[in-house]
Amino acid sequence: MPHLPMDSPDSVRSLPARRTVLGAIAATAAAPTLLGLSSPASAASAAPVAQPRALPGGGDLGPNVIVFDPSTSGIQAKLDEVFRQQESAQFGTGRYALLFKPGTYNGLNAQLGFYTSIAGLGLSPDDTAINGDVTVDAGWFNGNATQNFWRSAENLALTPVNGTNRWAVAQAAPFRRMHVKGGLNLAPTGYGWASGGYIADSRIDGSVGPYSQQQWYTRDSSVGGWANAVWNMVFSGVQGAPAQSFPNPPYTTLDTTPVSREKPFLYLNGSEYRVFLPERRTNARGTTWGSGTPRGTSLALTQFYVAKPGVTAATLNAALTQGLHLLLTPGIYHLDQPIQVNREGTVVLGLGYATLIPDNGVTALRTADVDGVRLAGFLIDAGPVNSSTLLEVGPTGATASHSANPTTVQDVFIRIGGAGAGKATTSMVINSRDTIIDHTWVWRADHGSGVGWETNRADYGIRVNGDDVLATGLFVEHFNKYDVQWYGQRGRTIFFQNEKAYDAPNQAAIQNGNVKGYAAYKVADSVTTHEGWGLGSYCYYNVDPTIVQHNGFAAPNTPGVKFHDLLVVSLGGQGQYEHVVNETGAPTSGTSTVPSTVVSYP
């Protein structure tokens, strides 16, 4: 996504161009052998047909999960080697998880490149202390951080060397369950362009300096201060957050998060790997771990099928049918049939941006309409044959209530194009009621390979059919038609970031009947109750800058459908909006890149 000049501590910037291992793993059990079905008995034999052998649970985590303890020699050299490989490998195939056993580590600087996750293996972030930094900067891209995607930090306590840790990221780069004993700088060196980001369940003792970051969402955390705002800074359940003041400065602040449940995470209980499942919270505020042991349950790694790249979808489904959960180790998985999650409470957890590629137009993953499924920590990359959908939560027509134990979709990212041609009609469909979408980036690629108005055709980003769905941290960009369509009743979104597709060839290509362009966020006319806070849409029609977009947001004009703190921005005058929501809000104009805002609608 291209991004606009920001006021930095030093200067006002000009418009940017379009943003163009090691070691074996200690584990709780011996490495499993992937077992398929037993060979059937000969037809000529009277012996009974052999039954499928049970797939093993647990086992080693594979070569791309690198585990350190405080006595490991050469930690910095290993971190540097992975970084050199991944620093600029935006569409590469490398995938890594860097895991640190509880203890204290001194003098480290873990620089994170693409598809690299770093995490502590304690039950609390403070169990794993790094006297050093976990750094994301943008030297590889000449100080521009707008493409620092697909990397993460979780479950660590940092004491930064110079008092402030740098985390200059863009989309799909969560900072979860972190304790920074100092400040946090969200801008690259030199305060270049930046477009992030997401923090949850974290404590930053010092101040957070977003500087050039255009938008940010922080949830259920604690901060010592917040330095500035550019376009759209949203907070829910954050102790120390700035007061509500949109649009000047553009802070949207909710005292609590209505419903939240933190992402599952891998940890060590002695020498045993387990996966912790945090409990659901209502009206949440602050971290889950600040007052001691977090609340929730855990599962032994032996209850998971530990998947490695090369495994078939049939084997993954056999493991699920057998009653195992799935742990997807880092790598790329080709699927010739959907992963089908049918059992209540199933966990599908990816490490190191494990990536699912559906072949021959299949859907990558589907769930039944059951309680408490947890999908977390993986990337779905569309294949070259069009898929009608890539992720489906619940079947069409799902009606069961899951209010006490919802399905959660967390750090699940979707990409169409970029790494190669890909197509999908609708990326994510949410049919099950009460689902929580907690941080996603659904992206029709605007750069990379396999990119073009029809080459990576993807008409719709997210479609929500289920009632009572909550989205916290929704990033959806560049779809040929609607980016978000919401049909369910009583839906809520806290923070939305969007760019319309850059590459529309002309006005006719995006004409929606009599309406100029498809809204970024469309609430269906049948909906009577809906609410959103802190929603932004940007346009950058660089192929045809004369394109006019009627509005960023479209919804029925009824008292039960409410929006708070909306904005639209024309990036450098490449296309324009006529209104913000429906017929309300001033048009954007010229090349000034000043947001048009609506504080409350209706």
Side-chain angles (χ1 to χ4, degrees):
M1 47 194 295
H3 292 280
L4 271 291
M6 301 298 127
D7 290 330
S8 77
D10 301 322
S11 63
V12 176
R13 310 238 166 225
S14 60
L15 180 70
R18 176 185 178 190
R19 62 184 188 198
T20 356
V21 178
L22 302 161
I25 306 308
T28 57
T33 300
L34 299 184
L35 302 177
L37 302 182
S38 300
S39 299
S42 166
S45 170
V49 175
Q51 297 300 309
R53 288 187 287 169
L55 292 161
D60 77 278
L61 301 179
N64 292 334
V65 176
I66 303 171
V67 180
F68 304 102
D69 65 48
S71 66
T72 302
S73 62
I75 295 176
Q76 187 64 56
K78 293 180 181 181
L79 297 174
D80 291 346
E81 181 172 342
V82 173
F83 178 65
R84 282 192 298 270
Q85 177 181 317
Q86 299 301 115
E87 179 183 12
S88 59
Q90 181 172 178
F91 298 111
T93 58
R95 303 287 187 272
Y96 291 94
L98 310 173
L99 305 183
F100 286 76
K101 293 182 180 181
T104 300
Y105 301 78
N106 294 313
L108 296 181
N109 181 18
Q111 300 181 82
L112 298 187
F114 287 98
Y115 314 108
T116 305
S117 298
I118 188 170
L121 287 170
L123 198 53
S124 164
D126 289 333
D127 293 340
T128 309
I130 293 179
N131 293 317
D133 297 77
V134 172
T135 301
V136 178
D137 207 343
W140 74 277
F141 201 48
N142 301 314
N144 180 343
T146 61
Q147 293 185 24
N148 281 346
F149 314 135
W150 305 304
R151 63 202 74 195
S152 66
E154 301 184 48
N155 206 29
L156 294 165
L158 307 178
T159 303
V161 170
N162 69 355
T164 301
N165 190 77
R166 186 181 302 278
W167 185 254
V169 298
Q171 288 80 359
F175 196 80
R176 288 185 181 269
R177 200 177 173 76
M178 295 288 286
H179 184 189
V180 181
K181 299 180 179 181
L184 188 63
N185 183 344
L186 303 180
T189 300
Y191 303 99
W193 307 300
S195 180
Y198 176 90
I199 294 171
D201 201 25
S202 293
R203 175 179 170 183
I204 291 87
D205 293 345
S207 183
V208 178
Y211 303 118
S212 54
Q213 284 285 357
Q214 292 164 337
Q215 70 276 319
W216 201 276
Y217 175 51
T218 307
R219 179 182 63 71
D220 299 352
S221 294
S222 172
V223 298
W226 195 273
N228 72 297
V230 176
W231 290 339
N232 191 29
M233 300 286 162
V234 180
F235 308 84
S236 68
V238 178
Q239 298 164 341
Q244 169 73 32
S245 58
F246 188 93
N248 188 25
Y251 293 136
T252 299
T253 303
L254 287 72
D255 189 58
T256 61
T257 304
V259 186
S260 64
R261 188 174 68 192
E262 299 304 329
K263 179 184 172 185
F265 62 92
L266 191 68
Y267 75 104
L268 278 171
N269 180 26
S271 61
E272 178 196 16
Y273 282 104
R274 299 186 69 86
V275 173
F276 192 81
L277 308 178
E279 71 173 12
R280 170 181 167 274
R281 297 199 291 170
T282 57
N283 299 317
R285 182 171 172 82
T287 69
T288 62
W289 49 268
S291 57
T293 302
R295 298 178 63 88
T297 58
S298 71
L299 298 169
L301 189 64
T302 53
Q303 294 175 266
F304 285 77
Y305 179 74
V306 179
K308 311 292 198 310
V311 70
T312 66
T315 298
L316 297 174
N317 283 326
L320 291 168
T321 300
Q322 189 178 305
L324 294 170
H325 307 272
L326 296 182
L327 185 74
L328 306 174
T329 64
I332 295 175
Y333 298 75
H334 282 269
L335 306 174
D336 61 359
Q337 61 180 269
I339 298 172
Q340 182 65 50
V341 177
N342 293 325
R343 191 179 70 258
E344 175 182 346
T346 299
V347 178
V348 180
L349 176 61
L351 300 179
Y353 288 82
T355 301
L356 307 178
I357 300 179
D359 294 329
N360 301 317
V362 304
T363 297
L365 190 150
R366 292 190 175 113
T367 76
D369 191 26
V370 294
D371 274 0
V373 172
R374 304 186 195 224
L375 309 177
F378 55 89
L379 171 65
I380 299 174
D381 207 353
V385 178
N386 185 74
S387 293
S388 60
T389 60
L390 294 173
L391 174 66
E392 296 179 18
V393 177
T396 301
T399 58
S401 173
H402 306 290
S403 58
N405 190 10
T407 286
T408 44
V409 181
Q410 299 178 285
D411 300 349
V412 173
F413 308 117
I414 294 178
R415 178 174 68 196
I416 302 95
K423 293 184 178 182
T425 304
T426 305
S427 291
M428 183 184 297
V429 178
I430 306 295
N431 293 315
S432 287
R433 293 179 57 181
D434 306 292
T435 298
I436 300 172
I437 309 167
D438 177 43
H439 189 228
T440 189
W441 184 38
V442 182
W443 185 57
R444 176 181 169 265
D446 60 274
H447 63 273
S449 64
V451 172
W453 185 247
E454 297 295 342
T455 306
N456 62 330
R457 182 83 194 187
D459 282 351
Y460 308 108
I462 294 180
R463 178 175 292 170
V464 178
N465 297 319
D467 294 340
D468 304 294
V469 171
L470 171 65
T472 53
L474 197 60
F475 299 74
V476 188
E477 297 190 297
H478 307 310
F479 285 84
N480 295 78
K481 293 184 178 180
Y482 289 118
D483 298 276
V484 173
Q485 296 173 289
W486 209 296
Y487 292 93
Q489 298 288 354
R490 297 175 300 280
R492 292 174 290 184
T493 295
I494 304 173
F495 182 89
F496 172 67
Q497 187 266 326
N498 165 264
E499 283 183 346
K500 296 303 300 174
Y502 303 159
D503 56 342
N506 49 49
Q507 187 76 45
I510 64 161
Q511 193 70 13
N512 181 13
N514 295 323
V515 179
K516 299 172 185 175
Y518 291 81
Y521 189 106
K522 166 66 173 174
V523 180
D525 293 343
S526 58
V527 172
T528 57
T529 306
H530 187 92
E531 197 160 8
W533 297 262
L535 314 183
S537 178
Y538 319 152
C539 74
Y540 186 73
Y541 288 115
N542 64 326
V543 175
D544 181 358
T546 68
I547 288 175
V548 175
Q549 176 82 25
H550 184 64
N551 50 33
F553 304 91
N557 188 5
T558 181
V561 177
K562 304 174 184 178
F563 292 104
H564 315 272
D565 303 354
L566 301 175
L567 69 133
V568 296
V569 183
S570 168
L571 303 182
Q574 306 292 295
Q576 302 291 343
Y577 291 90
E578 292 181 323
H579 298 286
V580 180
V581 53
N582 292 347
E583 309 302 315
T584 299
T588 57
S589 60
T591 59
S592 58
T593 314
V594 174
S596 178
T597 61
V598 169
V599 174
S600 182
Y601 183 87

